[in-house]
Amino acid sequence: MTTVGGVCRSFPDRALARCFPCLSDPARRSSLGLKVTLVMLHLIFVGFLFLFDDDLIEKTKKEPWYIGIYLSLLFVTLVQYFITSSSSPGCDTSEVVGGLKQRQLASSRNGSLIVSVEGSQSGRNFQVSNSSSWTKLVMSMYPPGTSVRSCTCSYCNIEQPPRAKHCHDCDKCVLQFDHHCVWLGTCVGRDNHCKFWWYICEETALCLWTGILYITFLKANISRAWWKDAIMIILLVALSISILFLLLLLLFHSYLVLTNQTTYELVRRRRIPYLRRIPERVFPFSKGVCRNLSDFCCVRSSIYSLESLPSPEEVEEKSRPYTCFDVLTCRCC
């Protein structure tokens, strides 16, 4: 047992750090362990299916395209998982301010940062050249009279724009924070929410298809070998629970996308100071279904897009009840 930097480390930890430097961090080891576990679960569910189901093997020989599509979906789902887990949830505010001081960005010749502010100042771009201009920009997105202290992260000591939140697991402020996903090992935020939605969509489709194959096997082989049936039934029960969870998760996040909300904003709405004054059934950041979908699917990573809080007039307009004329004119879109 040795002490390095005030932290006690055992011999296995030191040996692991020497052989695999990337695994010296316990958080990385935990994340890697979760990834390996998820891949193994996929292989177990699919492997037992091909191991026990002789009819499926025969079908593979007669209709190779069917199993080819199924295995392609399995491969695409796993690839999408690793893409999502390795993607950034959105540049944190400390990185934004740090970038102003340390590097010149390709989007500007003078080293300033191009920031797009949507909402009451829709379509306007701003050049932020230092931390002081960043503070002015952030405060302009809040109602007049808001104190800088109430918008400053107590951990990063940097002003947070609306919809940003400090994640204690990632130890940074994430723009448009949704939640921290344990299975992905990263936050879901502005830049990877779309990837996350596609992942759970593909995972749901894969689980549904696998469940259908399990049920088909049990219907055709229910009286042949009881121990095979017992294994398949146990796996099918676990798969059914996963399907139910994934379907609910997919529907929930689809609702969030259509209304331009995040999980954090929906669950903790009464605890977020700038959302307390807005009525419950009003979605302050919604721009209509079509625009919400467009912004969600076409995230521009080359520009920092922030959303300011709606003005009182915009809140009043959003809270106005729908009429028949509004439906005909597609006001919700």
PDB file of all heavy atoms in Angstrom, residues 41-55:
ATOM      1  N   LEU A  41     -24.600  -8.818 -22.111  1.00  0.00           N
ATOM      2  CA  LEU A  41     -26.042  -9.082 -22.024  1.00  0.00           C
ATOM      3  C   LEU A  41     -26.646  -9.279 -23.412  1.00  0.00           C
ATOM      4  O   LEU A  41     -27.480 -10.180 -23.622  1.00  0.00           O
ATOM      5  CB  LEU A  41     -26.741  -7.925 -21.296  1.00  0.00           C
ATOM      6  CG  LEU A  41     -26.561  -7.865 -19.775  1.00  0.00           C
ATOM      7  CD1 LEU A  41     -27.151  -6.589 -19.219  1.00  0.00           C
ATOM      8  CD2 LEU A  41     -27.213  -9.084 -19.115  1.00  0.00           C
ATOM      9  N   HIS A  42     -26.221  -8.437 -24.358  1.00  0.00           N
ATOM     10  CA  HIS A  42     -26.713  -8.592 -25.740  1.00  0.00           C
ATOM     11  C   HIS A  42     -26.307  -9.952 -26.309  1.00  0.00           C
ATOM     12  O   HIS A  42     -27.126 -10.645 -26.926  1.00  0.00           O
ATOM     13  CB  HIS A  42     -26.167  -7.471 -26.629  1.00  0.00           C
ATOM     14  CG  HIS A  42     -26.886  -6.170 -26.465  1.00  0.00           C
ATOM     15  ND1 HIS A  42     -26.666  -5.348 -25.391  1.00  0.00           N
ATOM     16  CD2 HIS A  42     -27.814  -5.551 -27.244  1.00  0.00           C
ATOM     17  CE1 HIS A  42     -27.420  -4.266 -25.507  1.00  0.00           C
ATOM     18  NE2 HIS A  42     -28.138  -4.360 -26.611  1.00  0.00           N
ATOM     19  N   LEU A  43     -25.059 -10.318 -26.091  1.00  0.00           N
ATOM     20  CA  LEU A  43     -24.560 -11.585 -26.633  1.00  0.00           C
ATOM     21  C   LEU A  43     -25.242 -12.784 -25.970  1.00  0.00           C
ATOM     22  O   LEU A  43     -25.494 -13.805 -26.623  1.00  0.00           O
ATOM     23  CB  LEU A  43     -23.039 -11.668 -26.446  1.00  0.00           C
ATOM     24  CG  LEU A  43     -22.209 -10.637 -27.231  1.00  0.00           C
ATOM     25  CD1 LEU A  43     -20.729 -10.819 -26.937  1.00  0.00           C
ATOM     26  CD2 LEU A  43     -22.473 -10.747 -28.732  1.00  0.00           C
ATOM     27  N   ILE A  44     -25.564 -12.684 -24.679  1.00  0.00           N
ATOM     28  CA  ILE A  44     -26.240 -13.779 -23.971  1.00  0.00           C
ATOM     29  C   ILE A  44     -27.650 -13.996 -24.531  1.00  0.00           C
ATOM     30  O   ILE A  44     -28.049 -15.121 -24.858  1.00  0.00           O
ATOM     31  CB  ILE A  44     -26.295 -13.488 -22.462  1.00  0.00           C
ATOM     32  CG1 ILE A  44     -24.893 -13.647 -21.849  1.00  0.00           C
ATOM     33  CG2 ILE A  44     -27.296 -14.406 -21.757  1.00  0.00           C
ATOM     34  CD1 ILE A  44     -24.797 -13.188 -20.406  1.00  0.00           C
ATOM     35  N   PHE A  45     -28.416 -12.909 -24.658  1.00  0.00           N
ATOM     36  CA  PHE A  45     -29.791 -13.029 -25.151  1.00  0.00           C
ATOM     37  C   PHE A  45     -29.833 -13.560 -26.582  1.00  0.00           C
ATOM     38  O   PHE A  45     -30.658 -14.412 -26.917  1.00  0.00           O
ATOM     39  CB  PHE A  45     -30.495 -11.670 -25.073  1.00  0.00           C
ATOM     40  CG  PHE A  45     -31.051 -11.355 -23.715  1.00  0.00           C
ATOM     41  CD1 PHE A  45     -30.323 -10.580 -22.823  1.00  0.00           C
ATOM     42  CD2 PHE A  45     -32.281 -11.836 -23.319  1.00  0.00           C
ATOM     43  CE1 PHE A  45     -30.823 -10.290 -21.566  1.00  0.00           C
ATOM     44  CE2 PHE A  45     -32.796 -11.551 -22.062  1.00  0.00           C
ATOM     45  CZ  PHE A  45     -32.061 -10.774 -21.178  1.00  0.00           C
ATOM     46  N   VAL A  46     -28.945 -13.077 -27.429  1.00  0.00           N
ATOM     47  CA  VAL A  46     -28.923 -13.530 -28.825  1.00  0.00           C
ATOM     48  C   VAL A  46     -28.275 -14.910 -28.919  1.00  0.00           C
ATOM     49  O   VAL A  46     -28.724 -15.761 -29.700  1.00  0.00           O
ATOM     50  CB  VAL A  46     -28.172 -12.510 -29.705  1.00  0.00           C
ATOM     51  CG1 VAL A  46     -28.065 -13.017 -31.143  1.00  0.00           C
ATOM     52  CG2 VAL A  46     -28.884 -11.162 -29.681  1.00  0.00           C
ATOM     53  N   GLY A  47     -27.242 -15.160 -28.121  1.00  0.00           N
ATOM     54  CA  GLY A  47     -26.523 -16.428 -28.188  1.00  0.00           C
ATOM     55  C   GLY A  47     -27.384 -17.619 -27.811  1.00  0.00           C
ATOM     56  O   GLY A  47     -27.371 -18.648 -28.513  1.00  0.00           O
ATOM     57  N   PHE A  48     -28.154 -17.512 -26.708  1.00  0.00           N
ATOM     58  CA  PHE A  48     -29.030 -18.613 -26.305  1.00  0.00           C
ATOM     59  C   PHE A  48     -30.096 -18.882 -27.364  1.00  0.00           C
ATOM     60  O   PHE A  48     -30.518 -20.028 -27.558  1.00  0.00           O
ATOM     61  CB  PHE A  48     -29.694 -18.300 -24.960  1.00  0.00           C
ATOM     62  CG  PHE A  48     -28.866 -18.710 -23.784  1.00  0.00           C
ATOM     63  CD1 PHE A  48     -28.217 -17.772 -23.002  1.00  0.00           C
ATOM     64  CD2 PHE A  48     -28.730 -20.054 -23.457  1.00  0.00           C
ATOM     65  CE1 PHE A  48     -27.446 -18.158 -21.908  1.00  0.00           C
ATOM     66  CE2 PHE A  48     -27.965 -20.449 -22.364  1.00  0.00           C
ATOM     67  CZ  PHE A  48     -27.315 -19.498 -21.588  1.00  0.00           C
ATOM     68  N   LEU A  49     -30.520 -17.838 -28.041  1.00  0.00           N
ATOM     69  CA  LEU A  49     -31.525 -17.999 -29.092  1.00  0.00           C
ATOM     70  C   LEU A  49     -30.993 -18.861 -30.229  1.00  0.00           C
ATOM     71  O   LEU A  49     -31.651 -19.812 -30.673  1.00  0.00           O
ATOM     72  CB  LEU A  49     -31.940 -16.615 -29.605  1.00  0.00           C
ATOM     73  CG  LEU A  49     -33.158 -16.538 -30.524  1.00  0.00           C
ATOM     74  CD1 LEU A  49     -34.404 -17.034 -29.815  1.00  0.00           C
ATOM     75  CD2 LEU A  49     -33.348 -15.120 -31.010  1.00  0.00           C
ATOM     76  N   PHE A  50     -29.787 -18.566 -30.685  1.00  0.00           N
ATOM     77  CA  PHE A  50     -29.194 -19.342 -31.770  1.00  0.00           C
ATOM     78  C   PHE A  50     -28.719 -20.717 -31.288  1.00  0.00           C
ATOM     79  O   PHE A  50     -28.655 -21.663 -32.079  1.00  0.00           O
ATOM     80  CB  PHE A  50     -28.023 -18.572 -32.386  1.00  0.00           C
ATOM     81  CG  PHE A  50     -28.446 -17.496 -33.346  1.00  0.00           C
ATOM     82  CD1 PHE A  50     -28.654 -16.199 -32.911  1.00  0.00           C
ATOM     83  CD2 PHE A  50     -28.652 -17.775 -34.689  1.00  0.00           C
ATOM     84  CE1 PHE A  50     -29.054 -15.205 -33.787  1.00  0.00           C
ATOM     85  CE2 PHE A  50     -29.045 -16.791 -35.582  1.00  0.00           C
ATOM     86  CZ  PHE A  50     -29.250 -15.496 -35.130  1.00  0.00           C
ATOM     87  N   LEU A  51     -28.400 -20.835 -29.994  1.00  0.00           N
ATOM     88  CA  LEU A  51     -27.927 -22.100 -29.461  1.00  0.00           C
ATOM     89  C   LEU A  51     -29.052 -23.126 -29.330  1.00  0.00           C
ATOM     90  O   LEU A  51     -28.856 -24.328 -29.593  1.00  0.00           O
ATOM     91  CB  LEU A  51     -27.279 -21.863 -28.094  1.00  0.00           C
ATOM     92  CG  LEU A  51     -26.660 -23.076 -27.399  1.00  0.00           C
ATOM     93  CD1 LEU A  51     -25.485 -23.623 -28.220  1.00  0.00           C
ATOM     94  CD2 LEU A  51     -26.215 -22.702 -25.991  1.00  0.00           C
ATOM     95  N   PHE A  52     -30.253 -22.684 -28.943  1.00  0.00           N
ATOM     96  CA  PHE A  52     -31.363 -23.593 -28.678  1.00  0.00           C
ATOM     97  C   PHE A  52     -32.324 -23.753 -29.852  1.00  0.00           C
ATOM     98  O   PHE A  52     -32.944 -24.798 -29.994  1.00  0.00           O
ATOM     99  CB  PHE A  52     -32.156 -23.115 -27.454  1.00  0.00           C
ATOM    100  CG  PHE A  52     -31.407 -23.233 -26.165  1.00  0.00           C
ATOM    101  CD1 PHE A  52     -31.819 -22.525 -25.038  1.00  0.00           C
ATOM    102  CD2 PHE A  52     -30.298 -24.062 -26.047  1.00  0.00           C
ATOM    103  CE1 PHE A  52     -31.143 -22.648 -23.833  1.00  0.00           C
ATOM    104  CE2 PHE A  52     -29.611 -24.183 -24.850  1.00  0.00           C
ATOM    105  CZ  PHE A  52     -30.032 -23.475 -23.743  1.00  0.00           C
ATOM    106  N   ASP A  53     -32.490 -22.709 -30.649  1.00  0.00           N
ATOM    107  CA  ASP A  53     -33.533 -22.710 -31.683  1.00  0.00           C
ATOM    108  C   ASP A  53     -33.007 -23.286 -32.991  1.00  0.00           C
ATOM    109  O   ASP A  53     -32.391 -22.578 -33.803  1.00  0.00           O
ATOM    110  CB  ASP A  53     -34.054 -21.277 -31.890  1.00  0.00           C
ATOM    111  CG  ASP A  53     -35.382 -21.260 -32.637  1.00  0.00           C
ATOM    112  OD1 ASP A  53     -35.774 -22.305 -33.174  1.00  0.00           O
ATOM    113  OD2 ASP A  53     -36.017 -20.193 -32.667  1.00  0.00           O
ATOM    114  N   ASP A  54     -33.270 -24.579 -33.220  1.00  0.00           N
ATOM    115  CA  ASP A  54     -32.860 -25.210 -34.475  1.00  0.00           C
ATOM    116  C   ASP A  54     -33.663 -24.690 -35.658  1.00  0.00           C
ATOM    117  O   ASP A  54     -33.152 -24.618 -36.784  1.00  0.00           O
ATOM    118  CB  ASP A  54     -33.026 -26.733 -34.367  1.00  0.00           C
ATOM    119  CG  ASP A  54     -32.113 -27.332 -33.299  1.00  0.00           C
ATOM    120  OD1 ASP A  54     -31.026 -26.759 -33.076  1.00  0.00           O
ATOM    121  OD2 ASP A  54     -32.493 -28.344 -32.687  1.00  0.00           O
ATOM    122  N   ASP A  55     -34.927 -24.338 -35.413  1.00  0.00           N
ATOM    123  CA  ASP A  55     -35.752 -23.796 -36.495  1.00  0.00           C
ATOM    124  C   ASP A  55     -35.193 -22.468 -37.003  1.00  0.00           C
ATOM    125  O   ASP A  55     -35.283 -22.165 -38.194  1.00  0.00           O
ATOM    126  CB  ASP A  55     -37.191 -23.597 -36.018  1.00  0.00           C
ATOM    127  CG  ASP A  55     -37.864 -24.918 -35.660  1.00  0.00           C
ATOM    128  OD1 ASP A  55     -37.420 -25.955 -36.208  1.00  0.00           O
ATOM    129  OD2 ASP A  55     -38.810 -24.908 -34.852  1.00  0.00           O
TER     130      ASP A  55
END
